[in-house]
Amino acid sequence: MTESEVVLPPPVRCEGFILLEEVGRGGSGSVWRAVQQDTGATVAIKILLEGPLATESQRRRFLHEATISRQLAHPGIIATHELRETDGTLFLVMDFVEGESLAARFRGDPVPHRELAVWVRRLADAVAYAHRCGVLHRDLKPGNVLIDATGRPRILDFGLATPFERPVDSSLTSSGAGTLSYLAPEQVLQRHKPPDKATDVHGLGGILYHGLTGRPPYVGEDPPAVFRSIAELDVPSPRYFVPTVPAALETICLKCLRKEPSRRYASAEELCDDLDRFLAGSPIRAQPMGRLERMWRWCRRRPLAATLAVSSAAAVALLLV
């Protein structure tokens, strides 16, 4: 048995369940395939990583995730059934879904464009449902999507999710704001309004972009470079990397990833509608960004340079006159 094949023993005891193997790990929890002893059913158990040594803040964040995820029941979201505690360790009992993450799928052969559009359309439907329940996911990315045995995408990990109808306790999200390469500008910059529905639309666009190009929307040699990409640079055209990307699908993707939340799709339902149009071969509602809009965006991001450029142009014009 090689080192990579060693099966780690369960870190804690979860009363009523037999933990078999670890199948995933995130910022706050370790996920195990398990068997429920009284029914024999296979389930997934998400354990608070710090176990009985967890701080009050860590426990509060885990309880917050349990509260959020248990109220969601949709075929595109992995269901959470109950919260339990054994010997001071909190754990969630969830559906066990056989499959692989979208991040793993993206590392393989390219995904056909139509299949990718179907996946994102189904994810958008699940996100629209969560929004109707008053929940923002805030961390949509390929690693938080599972493709099940039937080929359907399922959203998981609501550890950073927040209700958007009331202010959020900052201590619940102090462990991080999500994965930097997929974050919307309003999640990292002060000049934008707080995250809302458009933030999750941006996350869906990031998933679509990665599927089309094989890379996240924001990249850099180090975190400051990625931050600058989020704050200042337009996302490169998907067809720059893959010329065969359909123009309509590229337009949909780039509309999701607009810097200004007001210029994205106003809701996940609107994104669903345009993806339906693309899949049906009908004209989509989104329009490609024109030159004037690109110039306006550049002027907003670089006001000093824009002022100097205008002043220089005026001076040259005056000299010519």
Side-chain angles (χ1 to χ4, degrees):
M1 178 179 292
T2 66
E3 183 179 352
S4 61
E5 295 173 330
V6 173
V7 178
L8 298 175
V12 295
R13 184 175 69 91
C14 295
E15 186 175 356
F17 300 90
I18 301 174
L19 303 184
L20 302 177
E21 61 176 335
E22 187 178 31
V23 295
R25 183 177 288 250
S28 63
S30 171
V31 181
W32 288 69
R33 181 170 66 89
V35 172
Q36 191 165 5
Q37 290 177 304
D38 57 353
T39 66
T42 299
V43 297
I45 299 293
K46 182 172 183 178
I47 306 168
L48 181 58
L49 280 176
E50 292 77 7
L53 301 179
T55 65
E56 184 59 32
S57 175
Q58 291 166 336
R59 288 176 63 88
R60 189 163 62 250
R61 286 197 296 270
F62 198 79
L63 291 170
H64 172 77
E65 177 184 358
T67 301
I68 291 288
S69 59
R70 288 169 66 190
Q71 65 182 281
L72 302 175
H74 186 279
I77 298 173
I78 294 181
T80 298
H81 298 291
E82 57 182 316
L83 171 71
R84 294 195 182 187
E85 184 173 359
T86 300
D87 299 331
T89 295
L90 294 171
F91 62 94
L92 296 173
V93 182
M94 307 182 297
D95 280 348
F96 178 78
V97 178
E98 195 75 51
E100 64 176 343
S101 75
L102 199 52
R105 184 68 63 93
F106 283 168
R107 287 196 292 267
D109 295 330
V111 179
H113 299 139
R114 186 173 182 83
E115 183 178 13
L116 177 63
V118 170
W119 283 349
V120 176
R121 195 262 179 242
R122 288 175 172 171
L123 291 173
D125 183 69
V127 169
Y129 163 80
H131 289 175
R132 290 194 296 272
C133 294
V135 173
L136 294 175
H137 189 281
R138 297 178 65 248
D139 193 22
L140 291 168
K141 59 184 179 181
N144 281 342
V145 175
L146 190 71
I147 303 297
D148 66 20
T150 68
R152 290 188 64 94
R154 311 276 290 274
I155 299 173
L156 64 151
D157 198 345
F158 281 77
L160 294 179
T162 59
F164 56 77
E165 74 279 5
R166 62 180 184 271
V168 180
D169 180 358
S170 61
S171 67
L172 297 176
T173 58
S174 60
S175 61
T179 302
L180 190 59
S181 292
Y182 298 92
L183 290 183
E186 63 269 21
Q187 291 178 278
V188 297
L189 301 175
Q190 297 298 319
R191 66 173 180 262
H192 289 290
K193 64 179 183 178
D196 61 6
K197 292 181 180 181
T199 303
D200 281 349
V201 168
H202 184 284
L204 292 167
I207 292 173
L208 179 56
Y209 189 92
H210 195 149
L212 292 174
T213 66
R215 50 167 264 168
Y218 306 113
V219 297
E221 296 179 354
D222 49 35
V226 180
F227 186 91
R228 178 175 175 271
S229 178
I230 296 172
E232 301 179 5
L233 304 180
D234 286 330
V235 176
S237 162
R239 290 199 291 174
Y240 173 81
F241 302 104
V242 183
T244 57
V245 171
L249 196 55
E250 175 184 77
T251 299
I252 290 172
C253 179
L254 293 179
K255 184 174 179 64
C256 292
L257 294 173
R258 297 285 182 92
K259 298 289 188 192
E260 302 82 9
S262 62
R263 293 180 175 269
R264 300 175 202 150
Y265 290 101
S267 66
E269 286 94 344
E270 286 192 8
L271 173 57
C272 284
D273 179 68
D274 247 4
L275 287 170
D276 283 339
R277 289 171 178 274
F278 167 77
L279 291 168
S282 303
I284 63 173
R285 296 186 185 278
Q287 297 296 321
M289 189 186 306
R291 290 184 178 180
L292 287 178
E293 184 177 355
R294 291 181 185 277
M295 184 179 299
W296 175 80
R297 287 165 58 112
W298 181 83
C299 291
R300 283 198 63 184
R301 290 198 304 270
R302 299 174 179 271
L304 179 59
T307 301
L308 290 174
V310 172
S311 300
S312 300
V316 171
L318 183 60
L319 181 61
L320 292 175
V321 171

